Amino acid sequence: MTGIKIDGKIIAESVKNRIKLAVDELKKQGVSPCLATVLVGDNPASATYVKNKHKACEEVGITTKDHKLPSSITQNELNGVIDSLNSDSAVHGILVQLPLPNQIDEFQTITRISPIKDVDGLTPHNAGLLAMKKAVLVACTPSGVMEMFDYHNIDLAGKDVVLINRSNLVGKPLYHLLLEKNATVITCHSKTKDLKKHCQNADVIITAVGDRTKFELTSDMIKQGAIVIDVAITRHNDKLAGDADYDKIIEKASFATPVPGGVGPMTVAMLLKNTVTAASLSKGLGS
Ligand code: GUN
């Protein structure tokens, strides 16, 4: 039995089609959604991600502002850029691409973003709302994963889900979103004892390690019919790959995401969705 590929490109397209309609509607009401991105330094992967985000915005009619800042920038200077975007009424969403250079404090930077413009859902305000089941702007990769489950009508109630990531960007928001769907969630990390055993017991595995020298999800680690969501993106044998050995996993799983073409496009689609939500909030239109 071969499992079903969860195709992020197709699902992201369907999300984008909905967003395009919402953007047109907002424009009729006099609101032209705008996303400002802030890229610090010259990390090539980050530059590519930001470029893709701009391209996707263009596709759905969202305008963008591009702030490329030198890696030598000080915290005060970066704070100043964020403050000016916070007070610019033409800007509805602010995205500071991570990671940031060492001299910059990530927490201070994220916290500086106005919560109603926080299209990454990473400010303490929005992370707290999510934990209290009152989320408005949710981190893009986690909400993209949830959209994939929805698209395939996968009911998570009572499922044993193993998360292999505990970051603010992925693991923690996913934990709350999965709990809301009545899943039983186990969050694993580098100090977890017997990760393989946890994986073998799981109905759903969501993995986001991103370093094949440290971790690889192989087919002997999953049970027959498991669902595997691979959030990681890394280079392996000179090719882009995730944590999972997709070709073998798909022979045993009921559903699995490929890399590339899985979760990645969903992250971008959900950013567009959050930008539309933020633009609606700015005019008190709701989402
Ligand atoms: N770096 C990797 N993923 C993300 C993301 O979703 N948002 C931001 N701001 N930076 C990232």
Side-chain angles (χ1 to χ4, degrees), residues 129-149:
L129 286 177
L130 175 61
M132 304 182 97
K133 294 215 284 188
K134 299 283 181 202
V136 181
L137 294 168
V138 181
C140 303
T141 300
S143 58
V145 169
M146 299 310 285
E147 191 74 28
M148 290 175 133
F149 290 130

Side-chain angles (χ1 to χ4, degrees), residues 45-83:
S46 291
T48 302
Y49 293 142
V50 170
K51 203 169 94 194
N52 289 343
K53 289 169 185 178
H54 281 254
K55 187 166 158 270
C57 281
E58 212 172 282
E59 281 167 21
V60 299
I62 294 174
T63 56
T64 54
K65 292 196 170 170
D66 192 7
H67 294 262
K68 289 200 179 79
L69 307 172
S71 57
S72 58
I73 196 167
T74 64
Q75 183 74 57
N76 273 346
E77 288 165 337
L78 180 56
N79 288 350
V81 172
I82 294 171
D83 289 348

Side-chain angles (χ1 to χ4, degrees), residues 46 49 53 95-99 110 120 122 139-141 169 267:
S46 291
Y49 293 142
K53 289 169 185 178
L95 177 133
V96 178
Q97 186 67 25
L98 303 174
I110 296 295
D120 256 329
L122 295 177
C140 303
T141 300
L169 209 52
T267 299

